[in-house]
Amino acid sequence: MSFWHSMSWKTEGIRVTAPVQWRQYDGFVSVLWEAESQAGASGYYLSDDPRIMFFFNDVSSNVRISNENDNFARNSRPMARAVYVPAGVPLWTGSRKTHSFSHLNLHLHRDRVLRYLAPSIGSSAAQTALRRSVELQDVPALDALAKLLADEIKNPSRHAVYAESLVGSIVAGLLDIPPEREESTGGRLTQAQMNKLLAHIDGLGDYRMSVAEMAAIVGLSESWFASVFKQTTGKTPLQWQLTKRVELSKQLLGESDLTVASIAAQLGFSDQAHLTKVFRQIVGETPAAWRRMRQVRQA
């Protein structure tokens, strides 16, 4: 994937002390900076793409950062060694005293990162992680990965897949990706998770959600959620939703004068024939036959 980042920035009091080195990879641009910042120096940065800043030296006592320009002194915080900035999030910096620094900038193509993460954690969790800012100070593992990547940027000696795998590992190590709670669920959803899921889906009224949306509600990846959901309910998420929608259709058939076609449309079935087919599979008879039988029993 040919990719070059889009970024607006302005600095005052910061000068580059060595030639900038960079490499363009599949969906990533890696840039090495050596610079010196004067006391009172400032910077403003805004990127259309998600990015990572990694400092090879501790600058937390020298640099403050903020996502708000107003009242910088009150709203700022120390610059961490590893910072993930989501796309479209502005960043202001201010230097307290003169210092030199070395850092790695990783500019990321959003779709490339999603393609890397989604098979393991699911697209919903990957998209959520990309929207969350991250700032870490204690980063020994990331430091080792960043130094390997910096060496390759300075002196390319391997296939691009080597550097791309390092970038992928840095992304996976830094982004806020919750662990799969396999041990806590014991292969099944907890009652608390089921209650949370039911409360959300009941509020929709038609029991129509994607597996990704259901998984996100209980904080699991799509693949793991699908597995433990079936272990918990005996049905796949789709089968379970269809059963719930049929139960809701029975309620409407018994308590209203709505036609079968109207009920089908209200519950998101493609048409009356679709509802009839699913209803017969689950209940054993058509909606019209079920309604007539119920009316006879109540007579």
Side-chain angles (χ1 to χ4, degrees), residues 211-284:
V211 177
E213 291 169 331
M214 295 173 73
I217 290 172
V218 294
L220 298 175
S221 70
E222 290 177 56
S223 58
W224 179 246
F225 172 80
S227 175
V228 296
F229 187 89
K230 188 169 185 180
Q231 289 293 324
T232 304
T233 66
K235 298 181 176 68
T236 68
L238 177 58
Q239 291 168 340
W240 182 83
Q241 286 190 47
L242 283 174
T243 300
K244 288 292 184 181
R245 289 161 71 192
V246 166
E247 288 299 316
L248 190 54
S249 72
K250 289 168 68 176
Q251 180 180 337
L252 293 173
L253 286 166
E255 300 177 2
S256 75
D257 295 326
L258 291 172
T259 65
V260 175
S262 296
I263 293 173
Q266 182 171 321
L267 297 181
F269 290 93
S270 57
D271 53 28
Q272 179 176 336
H274 184 204
L275 170 58
T276 299
K277 178 181 178 181
V278 174
F279 195 97
R280 182 188 284 117
Q281 289 173 342
I282 294 175
V283 181

Side-chain angles (χ1 to χ4, degrees), residues 21 38 40 50 57 66-67 75 80 88 93 108 121 192 206 217 237 247 265:
Q21 296 178 288
Q38 301 298 315
N57 53 315
S66 177
N67 302 112
N75 295 323
T93 66
L108 315 171
I121 69 172
D206 60 2
I217 290 172
E247 288 299 316

